[in-house]
Amino acid sequence: MVLSGRATEFHVAVNGSDADAGSAKAPFRTIQHAANVAQPGDVITVDAGVYRERINPPRGGTSDKKRIIYQAAPGQKVVITGSEPMRGWLKVTNDTWKVTIPNSYFGTFNPYTNRIHGDWCSNPRGFHTGAVYLNGDWLMETPKFEDVFQETGRSPLWFGEVTNGATSLWAQFPGVNPNEQSVEINVRQTVFTPSK
């Protein structure tokens, strides 16, 4: 849809295709693709859904009147997430399960090797930017491997180990099979950050 002047409104939907035109009837699939084609003054309208991607806008606006606007479609909920569903958990003992993932799965950034850091942060335990989620709830990282084999407390725990070829995660899933639940792990460093 062409807006006033030469601005264009591009549409994105989870059932779209980046090979389409980006119109309301033929939306793009990814917000990143819309960002790649949008020019100052254009609008990107995203339909409801979960978008598992990292958006790196290649350009911004040129003035207050010529911005690139990113918006959810009216009345719709849009979620952009840095996590991915994780299946293939194997039971180790009691409530503790393990999954092993090739390091190549993470691309150039593995959040299980990256520690939380910054001049604003005190991180004496060395917690990582990666996390494990069960049905939308964040499990607590433990710095001690043996902790994930203890009786599950109020907050289920997880522990990670990265070797040359793989990332192994151990997590407590009290009373449930994680392969039958919604379990996600972090895989992206950011979800919406321009590199310049």
Side-chain angles (χ1 to χ4, degrees), residues 56 61 65 76 86 91 95 101 111 138 142 148 154 174 188:
N56 178 8
K65 293 184 179 182
Q76 297 191 31
M86 182 53 55
K91 190 168 188 172
D95 291 332
I101 310 140
W138 183 14
T142 178
V148 293
R154 287 183 27 216
R188 295 176 191 84

Side-chain angles (χ1 to χ4, degrees), residues 174-193:
V176 298
N177 179 339
N179 298 305
E180 297 171 353
Q181 305 294 314
S182 174
V183 175
E184 299 186 14
I185 65 168
N186 290 96
V187 298
R188 295 176 191 84
Q189 186 171 14
T190 62
V191 292
F192 196 104
T193 307

Side-chain angles (χ1 to χ4, degrees), residues 45-104:
T45 300
V46 184
D47 285 347
V50 176
Y51 295 83
R52 298 181 185 279
E53 60 178 299
R54 178 181 185 271
I55 300 134
N56 178 8
R59 70 192 66 77
T62 56
S63 70
D64 285 345
K65 293 184 179 182
K66 291 284 249 178
R67 300 173 188 236
I68 297 176
I69 297 172
Y70 295 81
Q71 64 184 12
Q76 297 191 31
K77 181 180 178 182
V78 173
V79 175
I80 304 171
T81 182
S83 65
E84 289 286 340
M86 182 53 55
R87 297 275 188 240
W89 293 89
L90 301 174
K91 190 168 188 172
V92 179
T93 182
N94 299 326
D95 291 332
T96 304
W97 297 68
K98 177 185 178 185
V99 68
T100 301
I101 310 140
N103 288 335
S104 58

